């Protein structure tokens, strides 16, 4: 399976055209997607038209570093002319009249789209089982979930159906599926990637990012995505960055913080052993480790499940059957139209979150739940600020276990919510986080190491991940049959 750099080199050397690369990936998608269900929408004509345009751009001497290299997009990003479903029946036939900022950036870089990737409905989930379009299978073991909500992105990259994919992370949806599918994924600092045209779940937590086969590839793709966008009021006024700039720095003297709360009970023994082995590797590379404490992190799951549903219930009120998306066929009056439209258009998890959100924002409970959760959110962020006084990056497991089986947690929301126990605090604080493959568990399923940086430390995190990947080969492992 090729990296972005390898694909770009072949294009530059004239060994392959973008059309040929896209045809190869489309053939792999045709072979494997019926099993994996990673893509919701594939349209070879559109892909090849974009590839021909990229080849023409190159022929005219206007190629950038990634011109002609294909990418695939999580179906949460609005794409002009391509259907954008967000994994929901509500938007099953929705075609956006405009491109999300992120899509615009990749188009401007000349990267043709291979299609739209499956995801949990409105990005609510940790297993990709809430998608209206059916679950995604984990390429390492099709009995296992790929993680969620960006499960289509993770499975597609892991199976070599695309070399890189966009994804989003509200509570872990880039890092957790990256870990469960054995690939590399990064969620940048909040505000770094424009949310314009990225269908909103919980606006104060949602952040776009990328998944690829290596940290070096993530660095290349992330460099395309970031930068200020005036159309998103939370987009920070910082210029775009070259995230490859520090990849080759030696790690001597790096201080790695190990949160004692992440290494307490709850982590499966095989995950603990793989993370420990990765830390040993970092010490060999010249890093030192120091224990840090995130005393309020145990509250991050309950805090998240007050705040994220609150924001979701507000954001999803736009899906009312009036403006766009699904509308019920028969109704007597407006109220019945709303009720039937939403009942038909939204799955159980989305309904659950809308109800919780409306409840915690209601007059009688706002102070008790919503305001209280906001206060604890601040304490959680402060814990990280304290920790970063004594370390450069924080490391630990991405998930407590390897991928669980399809159906195993589907009927138990609380168990499902706990799969994000190590990732959610990062979103609450707005920090950047990533996951890199660091081993295989007892059942042969991948394990991820989480790297958390201070605000805007993406280049440093990618440096840490890249140096580890130069010294180890976990990121080069490919699931059998792909
Ligand atoms: N699993 C978490 C949830 O269901 C996080 C989802 C996400 O990051 N989009 O909310």
């Amino acid at each position: 399976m090729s990296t972005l750099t390898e694909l770009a080199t072949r294009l530059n050397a004239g060994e392959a055209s973008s059309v040929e690369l896209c045809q190869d990936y489309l053939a792999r998608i045709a072979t494997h997607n019926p099993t994996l269900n990673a893509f919701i929408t594939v349209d070879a004509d559109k892909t090849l038209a974009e590839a021909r345009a990229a080849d023409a751009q190159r022929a005219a001497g206007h190629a950038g570093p990634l011109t002609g290299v294909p990418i695939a997009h999580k179906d949460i990003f609005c794409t002009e002319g391509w259907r954008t479903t967000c994994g929901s029946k509500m938007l099953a036939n929705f075609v956006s009249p405009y491109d999300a900022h992120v899509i615009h950036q990749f188009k401007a870089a000349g990267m043709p789209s291979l299609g739209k990737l499956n995801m949990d409905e409105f990005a609510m989930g940790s297993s990709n089982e809430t998608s209206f379009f059916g679950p995604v299978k984990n390429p390492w073991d099709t009995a296992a979930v790929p993680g969620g909500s960006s499960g289509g992105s993770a499975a597609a990259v892991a199976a070599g159906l695309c070399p890189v994919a966009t994804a989003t992370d509200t509570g872990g949806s880039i890092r957790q599926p990256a870990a469960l599918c054995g690939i590399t994924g990064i969620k940048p600092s909040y505000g770094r990637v424009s949310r314009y045209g990225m269908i909103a779940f919980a606006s104060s937590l949602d952040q776009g990012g990328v998944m690829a086969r290596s940290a070096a590839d993530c660095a290349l793709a992330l460099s395309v995505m970031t930068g200020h966008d005036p159309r998103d009021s939370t987009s920070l006024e910082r210029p775009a960055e070259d995230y490859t700039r520090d990849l080759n720095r030696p790690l001597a003297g790096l201080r790695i913080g190990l949160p004692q709360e992440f290494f307490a009970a709850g982590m499966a023994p095989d995950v603990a052993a793989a993370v420990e082995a990765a830390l040993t590797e970092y010490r060999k590379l010249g890093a030192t480790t120091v224990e840090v404490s995130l005393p309020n992190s145990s509250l991050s799951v309950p805090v998240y499940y007050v705040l994220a549903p609150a924001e979701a219930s507000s954001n999803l009120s736009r899906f009312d059957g009036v403006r766009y998306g699904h509308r019920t066929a028969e109704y007597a009056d407006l109220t019945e139209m709303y009720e039937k439209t939403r009942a038909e258009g939204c799955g159980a998890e989305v309904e659950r979150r809308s109800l919780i959100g409306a409840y915690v924002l209601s007059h009688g409970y706002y102070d008790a739940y919503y305001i209280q959760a906001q206060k604890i959110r601040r304490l959680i962020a402060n814990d990280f600020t304290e920790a970063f006084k004594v370390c450069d990056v924080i490391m630990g497991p991405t998930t407590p276990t390897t991928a669980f089986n399809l159906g195993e947690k589907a009927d138990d929301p609380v168990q499902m919510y706990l799969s994000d126990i190590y990732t959610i605090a990062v979103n609450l604080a707005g920090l950047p986080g990533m996951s890199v493959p660091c081993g295989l568990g007892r059942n042969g399923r991948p394990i991820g190491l989480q790297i958390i940086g201070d605000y805007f430390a993406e280049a440093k995190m990618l440096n840490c991940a890249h140096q580890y990947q130069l010294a180890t080969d976990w990121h080069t492992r490919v699931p059998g049959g792909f």
Side-chain angles (χ1 to χ4, degrees), residues 48 63 65 141 145-146 158 160 181 205 263 273 275 279 297 347 354 389 406 464:
L48 294 174
D141 183 343
V145 302
C181 287
L205 300 157
F263 288 85
V275 169
L279 293 172
S297 61
S354 299
K389 287 181 180 162
L406 284 151
C464 293

Side-chain angles (χ1 to χ4, degrees), residues 74 76 119-120 122-127 148-150 168-177 201 205-206 304-305 308-309 349 353 416-417 419-420 423-424 427:
K74 184 174 181 180
I76 197 167
M119 55 181 284
D120 278 302
F122 288 112
M124 298 175 190
S126 304
S127 67
S149 64
S150 313
T168 61
D169 192 313
T170 303
S173 282
I174 291 178
R175 291 158 288 156
Q176 187 254 17
F201 161 14
L205 300 157
D206 298 343
Y304 175 89
Y305 280 99
E349 185 62 27
R353 307 253 181 137
M416 189 70 88
Y417 296 169
S419 23
D420 297 320
T423 52
I424 279 180
N427 301 74

Side-chain angles (χ1 to χ4, degrees), residues 10-26:
R10 284 173 63 196
L11 288 165
N12 279 328
E15 289 166 17
S17 66
S18 179
V19 167
E20 286 163 344
L21 293 185
C22 288
Q23 280 167 337
D24 287 352
Y25 281 104
L26 289 169

